[in-house]
Amino acid sequence: MLWRRPRRRTKKRDTALRPNKSKKRDAAFRMTVVLVTAAICFSLALVRAVNLQVYEAEHLSSLARKEYTGALTFLPQRGDIADRRGRQLASSVEVYSLYAESKRIENPKPVARQLSQLLNLDYLDTFEKLSSNRWFVWIKRKLTPTQKAEVAKLKVPGLRFVPETKRVYPNRDLAAHVLGFVGVDGKGLEGLELRFEGELRGEKGSIPIYRDRLGRTVYREESPERFQPAGHNLVLTLDKTLQFRMENALRKAVVEQRAKSGMAVMMDPWTGEIMALSVFPSYDPNLFWKFPASSRRNRVVVDCFEPGSTMKVFTAMMAVESGSIRPDEAIYCENGRYKVGGHVVRDTHPHEWLTLDRIIQVSSNIGALKVGMRLEKTALYDGLKGFGFGEPTGIDLPGETRGLLRPVGNWVTIDFATICFGQGVSISPLQLITAVSSVANGGMIMRPHVVRRLEDPKGKVIRTFGTEPVRRVVSERTAKIVGGMLEKVVQSGGTGSKAAVEGYKVAGKTGTAQKVDPKTGRYSGRNFVSSFVGYFPADAPKASLLVMIDEPRKSIYGGLVAAPVFKDIAEQVIPYLGIKPDQVYMAEHEIDSAATLVPEGDRSVSPVISPAEEAEDPETMPNLLGLDARSALIMLAGRGMEVGLVGTGVVVKQDPAPGSALDGVRNCRIYLGEEQSI
């Protein structure tokens, strides 16, 4: 047997028993990794904690507050709008709107079905809102009392009401184009509602609300039913009665003439106050969305038309004022046919020699252009600008047009000629009535306005909007001369004889303007604008009035279409305003024309004196006895007093008494009645 060396087990055993250095290193590494990882995680947690507790604390707190707090925002009760006598034209009533706290509605399907039936809502849309898992969602705004009562009977947790206001126009379409309307959110969209949005709306308000752990809303401070903010009120220059009578007359005329539309506006020539303004077709601002935009447009303010022969009034005034023609000078009118710059101008009826008053009376185009072309182009242009053409009047209604008066450098000979009798220039009805009122008041352009004053909810006057003379355009002598010519227009043989009112002197001018056909760019042979503008009574004007009928079909001439409407309105207005017939007026008053017109001098702005005004010390109470209400109010303008009127008629008693010192006096009461003591 061969001998074998024994195995060296000792060494192997020794190796197994000795610690493994690599294992120690692995364990150390793992420990290091764990510690580093733990340190990093701890550092990140620390950084995140600092970020949450320090840098994002406010943001996170606000998020938490949103879970249990909120606010309900309320639109204030919109201010009222009243006419000059305090009669309501627009007001606001309290209604309730329905909203849902969707998170609290457990079974949205049956609730959506019931609401859609009660409130005439779309079922799918209502179901989507109720299933939105939100704390606040509108279901329907401004419910009727019956709808609110029916929904309340459901007693569904999560359905809640909030008070709001709804705009109401109690007279429906009366003065709709002046008033405008508001949208479902209570914001003014047209007319005075838009122009005085900030004043009428007032300031928004809100109250805090809180939710308990079940999501129920809790009012800690006050309930929404007690929250009633309010805006300011407007008192207008419009008279509801005059407005009603004007609208009826205009509606009747448009229907009879089968016309496209009609416009009428009445102004106090001494103050610029708009007494009535009407556009037909009209609309009901309570249901404005049911009417086309064309019916809602205030065409008196925002539209412009060629004035036609009414422009001859201003051509005559400028010519007389400049001295380029004498009132008794005769002009050869070419037997009705006259060539100007390659174009032929025609008159409706041929005439030979006509004086200026006859040119106006029979409305000769050829006579008017010959008179106007005696002026320099720049003089005619500057004169038209002075009358307010090509510039806004500044009325307190939105969207006013400037009209179209091209720069004089762009005029060719035919432009110069046709502008003299009302073609080639476009003006708004408001610009026309404002300019004609300068003839009535002695040569002053007055800024038109429809708002008299702004009051707070308690009736305290915040701001007044008084008479604002803009500039003198002609002397009172010129205005008187041209005014006499306008009286002849309404007399027998004049184009406006159908505007005559028995027992009263009326001054005015007819207009018949061709409209441009948008398809051809040429004057239409079918579409015309027929107008009549004037004032009454001629000796002591109380009102200027413009009537325009757009695209009449039975006739086209202003004297046949618009003049009878002018007469219809004037016959209704005269007794309402207490205007006495000319014979009675002349017998009771010694008319001193120098006292009724603005003193002559330079052509700068100067105050206008109404026929009833007298020179008075502004620090003492004037004598108002025997005056009508309008004249009395004019005399008190600028004295800073609140005036109360009692009764109708003329002033028979006043407090303070005539001649009293006004230092510290803030209130005045005027008693009206028959001429006898109260």
Side-chain angles (χ1 to χ4, degrees):
M1 182 176 182
L2 296 176
W3 179 84
R4 294 182 181 178
R5 180 179 294 180
R7 294 181 181 179
R8 300 183 62 180
R9 294 181 180 177
T10 305
K11 185 176 181 180
K12 186 175 181 181
R13 187 168 48 248
D14 293 342
T15 302
L17 295 174
R18 190 172 56 247
N20 193 323
K21 293 182 179 181
S22 62
K23 290 183 178 181
K24 288 184 177 181
R25 286 195 298 270
D26 291 343
F29 176 75
R30 286 194 297 271
M31 182 62 68
T32 302
V33 170
V34 170
L35 292 175
V36 170
T37 302
I40 292 174
C41 293
F42 179 78
S43 299
L44 292 175
L46 181 62
V47 170
R48 182 59 176 164
V50 171
N51 186 57
L52 293 175
Q53 294 295 324
V54 179
Y55 298 103
E56 295 187 25
E58 184 61 32
H59 173 66
L60 295 175
S61 296
S62 66
L63 292 178
R65 283 193 297 269
K66 288 182 180 180
E67 290 297 317
Y68 63 88
T69 64
L72 282 179
T73 300
F74 296 88
L75 293 176
Q77 181 172 341
R78 199 171 182 86
D80 293 340
I81 302 178
D83 81 339
R84 65 198 302 152
R85 297 176 182 269
R87 294 171 289 191
Q88 292 296 317
L89 299 175
S91 60
S92 296
V93 296
E94 187 178 67
V95 294
Y96 283 85
S97 294
L98 176 66
Y99 73 93
E101 296 173 344
S102 303
K103 288 186 176 182
R104 297 186 58 208
I105 297 179
E106 298 178 354
N107 299 310
K109 284 187 177 181
V111 176
R113 186 176 299 108
Q114 291 173 311
L115 292 179
S116 62
Q117 293 174 353
L118 292 176
L119 305 180
N120 193 26
L121 299 174
D122 180 76
Y123 167 74
L124 293 178
D125 181 62
T126 306
F127 175 71
E128 182 179 354
K129 291 179 179 179
L130 298 179
S131 305
S132 63
N133 199 32
R134 295 165 57 186
W135 281 115
F136 185 96
V137 58
W138 284 116
I139 301 301
K140 186 171 182 177
R141 307 285 292 274
K142 301 179 180 180
L143 279 62
T144 65
T146 301
Q147 290 174 330
K148 178 180 182 293
E150 292 296 327
V151 173
K153 290 179 182 178
L154 300 179
K155 297 182 179 180
V156 177
L159 292 182
R160 303 187 69 89
F161 300 98
V162 61
E164 291 192 292
T165 59
K166 180 181 180 180
R167 201 59 164 170
V168 175
Y169 303 89
N171 305 293
R172 301 182 64 181
D173 61 348
L174 187 77
H177 294 90
V178 175
L179 300 175
F181 53 88
V182 299
V184 67
D185 60 352
K187 184 177 181 181
L189 300 178
E190 288 286 355
L192 291 173
E193 298 281 21
L194 172 61
R195 173 63 177 79
F196 289 89
E197 166 67 14
E199 292 83 354
L200 289 167
R201 183 193 65 232
E203 298 294 330
K204 290 184 179 180
S206 64
I207 62 172
I209 60 174
Y210 302 88
R211 297 183 182 90
D212 62 15
R213 64 185 184 86
L214 298 179
R216 295 172 298 189
T217 301
V218 179
Y219 302 101
R220 289 190 180 176
E221 298 181 8
E222 56 181 324
S223 68
E225 287 79 4
R226 297 178 59 190
F227 192 86
Q228 296 180 341
H232 294 319
N233 302 323
L234 291 181
V235 178
L236 307 186
T237 62
L238 297 185
D239 186 292
K240 180 179 175 180
T241 301
L242 296 180
Q243 182 73 28
F244 177 77
R245 295 177 180 180
M246 175 185 283
E247 289 188 6
N248 281 345
L250 185 65
R251 181 185 298 107
K252 177 182 175 183
V254 172
V255 173
E256 287 183 352
Q257 291 291 333
R258 301 193 302 273
K260 177 182 178 181
S261 63
M263 292 146 280
V265 56
M266 185 184 300
M267 176 188 289
D268 185 330
W270 303 96
T271 65
E273 291 187 345
I274 301 298
M275 303 163 72
L277 186 154
S278 177
V279 178
F280 184 83
S282 189
Y283 70 99
D284 185 351
N286 295 295
L287 305 168
F288 68 89
W289 60 89
K290 294 186 177 182
F291 295 82
S294 58
S295 296
R296 304 196 302 257
R297 192 170 72 247
N298 187 348
R299 304 187 69 195
V300 171
V301 175
V302 305
D303 283 8
C304 56
F305 306 85
E306 289 194 349
S309 293
T310 56
M311 179 61 76
K312 295 169 186 174
V313 177
F314 313 110
T315 300
M317 291 180 75
M318 287 182 281
V320 172
E321 181 75 3
S322 67
S324 61
I325 189 173
R326 300 188 312 275
D328 59 350
E329 182 180 350
I331 300 292
Y332 184 57
C333 295
E334 308 288 342
N335 281 312
R337 192 176 186 277
Y338 185 54
K339 190 173 183 179
V340 179
H343 297 77
V344 177
V345 177
R346 295 179 175 84
D347 278 338
T348 304
H349 302 287
H351 300 281
E352 292 187 353
W353 293 92
L354 296 175
T355 56
L356 183 57
D357 58 345
R358 283 286 291 160
I359 289 173
I360 299 299
Q361 185 181 30
V362 301
S363 199
S364 169
N365 292 337
I366 296 172
L369 73 86
K370 282 193 169 185
V371 170
M373 292 182 75
R374 289 190 177 188
L375 302 168
E376 295 289 336
K377 286 184 181 179
T378 54
L380 180 62
Y381 176 82
D382 291 342
L384 295 177
K385 294 286 284 188
F387 280 108
F389 303 147
E391 296 291 339
T393 65
I395 191 171
D396 42 2
L397 285 169
E400 183 183 7
T401 181
R402 302 172 63 91
L404 177 62
L405 178 62
R406 288 177 293 133
V408 67
N410 296 340
W411 292 6
V412 295
T413 303
I414 189 61
D415 295 327
F416 188 15
T418 58
I419 285 175
C420 295
F421 59 82
Q423 286 188 351
V425 58
S426 294
I427 63 177
S428 71
L430 181 66
Q431 289 173 325
L432 180 55
I433 189 68
T434 302
V436 168
S437 293
S438 69
V439 187
N441 67 31
M444 291 293 296
I445 294 292
M446 309 299 295
R447 191 176 306 283
H449 60 284
V450 296
V451 178
R452 270 191 168 183
R453 61 183 180 270
L454 182 69
E455 299 177 347
D456 69 10
K458 296 182 179 179
K460 180 181 178 181
V461 176
I462 303 298
R463 182 183 175 189
T464 58
F465 302 83
T467 300
E468 185 179 349
V470 178
R471 57 185 165 270
R472 174 171 287 283
V473 284
V474 295
S475 66
E476 61 184 64
R477 172 183 174 274
T478 296
K480 187 174 182 179
I481 291 172
V482 175
M485 298 177 185
L486 298 185
E487 290 183 47
K488 293 184 178 180
V489 172
V490 185
Q491 296 172 1
S492 178
T495 58
S497 60
K498 290 186 178 298
V501 179
E502 185 177 356
Y504 299 86
K505 288 184 179 180
V506 175
K509 183 69 186 76
T510 57
T512 306
Q514 288 177 281
K515 296 182 70 174
V516 175
D517 188 335
K519 294 181 179 179
T520 64
R522 297 177 178 274
Y523 283 107
S524 170
R526 173 178 171 80
N527 297 328
F528 293 79
V529 177
S530 306
S531 60
F532 188 92
V533 60
Y535 52 88
F536 53 87
D539 289 332
K542 294 292 183 69
S544 302
L545 175 61
L546 166 65
V547 176
M548 297 182 74
I549 307 297
D550 188 15
E551 298 186 15
R553 290 295 177 243
K554 291 182 67 175
S555 180
I556 63 171
Y557 298 107
L560 298 178
V561 176
V565 188
F566 181 100
K567 176 183 179 179
D568 187 8
I569 297 172
E571 286 180 334
Q572 297 182 65
V573 167
I574 284 173
Y576 179 75
L577 295 180
I579 301 174
K580 298 178 180 179
D582 288 329
Q583 292 182 348
V584 176
Y585 182 84
M586 294 295 291
E588 293 182 352
H589 300 271
E590 293 183 3
I591 298 181
D592 181 3
S593 60
T596 65
L597 299 172
V598 180
E600 291 193 50
D602 61 22
R603 295 175 66 172
S604 60
V605 174
S606 57
V608 173
I609 304 175
S610 184
E613 269 192 284
E614 302 174 355
E616 294 280 355
D617 182 355
E619 300 300 324
T620 61
M621 184 68 182
N623 185 0
L624 308 176
L625 300 178
L627 300 181
D628 58 28
R630 184 185 67 87
S631 300
L633 291 174
I634 291 175
M635 291 191 68
L636 293 174
R639 285 176 164 83
M641 292 188 296
E642 295 186 24
V643 182
L645 298 177
V646 180
T648 59
V650 299
V651 180
V652 294
K653 183 180 179 182
Q654 64 181 83
D655 182 21
S660 302
L662 296 180
D663 185 23
V665 177
R666 292 292 177 265
N667 295 285
C668 172
R669 186 168 290 272
I670 299 174
Y671 299 89
L672 307 172
E674 300 299 328
E675 297 188 10
Q676 58 184 11
S677 299
I678 292 182

